[in-house]
Amino acid sequence: MSKLNEETPNEERESIHEQYVLDVRIVECVRPDVDRPEYRFEAPEHTPMSFDDPEMAELYADIYFCTNGFVEEGTGERGVPPEVIGAGRAVLAAYFLTQPGTDRDWVASFFGKKPHRVRKYVEWVQGQAEEIRTGVVEQGLG
């Protein structure tokens, strides 16, 4: 008798959470020794980044598109990637929000703004990233 599911409960499983243009994606990783899945951002020539929250992984992807790609490698030594800083306040605020140990209140305090302003920054980044991805598809580039 054949089994429909040959997967054992002790195996690590990966599946695509979100697939974007230009070979950018978020992979959901389920490990048997961890209670919650992890979400790994992947892009060509970019260090994979993992997040506990799928929304933060998606926001990170939006930041990636708003900056036309950026290099995360070495950031610990040099701080925020220059491309993120150059992309403006909204992108920088969203980037800070994706970093461990920060939340909306911390980011708002850093910029001297109210938390609702950080939400507006995030909404702008998400909208801008969607426009960029749509443009890539319309131009047949990805």
Side-chain angles (χ1 to χ4, degrees):
M1 181 179 213
S2 66
K3 294 181 183 178
L4 292 177
N5 187 354
E6 305 245 348
E7 193 175 287
T8 65
N10 293 330
E11 289 181 358
E12 184 171 320
R13 293 174 299 158
E14 293 186 351
S15 60
I16 302 298
H17 172 76
E18 189 75 45
Q19 181 71 49
Y20 299 100
V21 296
L22 304 174
D23 296 325
V24 175
R25 66 186 186 167
I26 298 171
V27 178
E28 180 182 36
C29 306
V30 178
R31 294 187 357 225
D33 59 333
V34 179
D35 293 346
R36 300 175 62 194
E38 186 175 81
Y39 298 87
R40 186 176 64 235
F41 170 83
E42 297 178 347
E45 300 180 33
H46 191 281
T47 303
M49 299 296 293
S50 294
F51 300 88
D52 295 332
D53 181 352
E55 289 180 8
M56 286 297 113
E58 293 163 8
L59 180 57
Y60 191 88
D62 290 340
I63 295 162
Y64 183 83
F65 283 102
C66 283
T67 60
N68 198 24
F70 65 92
V71 178
E72 187 73 54
E73 187 175 4
T75 300
E77 298 166 12
R78 63 175 200 211
V80 177
E83 300 89 346
V84 171
I85 293 170
R89 180 179 292 230
V91 175
L92 180 59
Y95 178 81
F96 282 153
L97 197 56
T98 67
Q99 300 306 295
T102 64
D103 61 16
R104 187 171 288 145
D105 291 331
W106 184 93
V107 175
S109 176
F110 179 85
F111 285 103
K113 302 288 183 186
K114 302 275 186 197
H116 79 275
R117 175 59 57 197
V118 175
R119 269 193 305 279
K120 293 291 186 190
Y121 288 157
V122 168
E123 289 170 3
W124 183 88
V125 167
Q126 291 168 328
Q128 195 69 17
E130 187 58 37
E131 283 183 34
I132 291 166
R133 289 189 290 264
T134 299
V136 167
V137 170
E138 287 173 353
Q139 294 179 22
L141 300 174

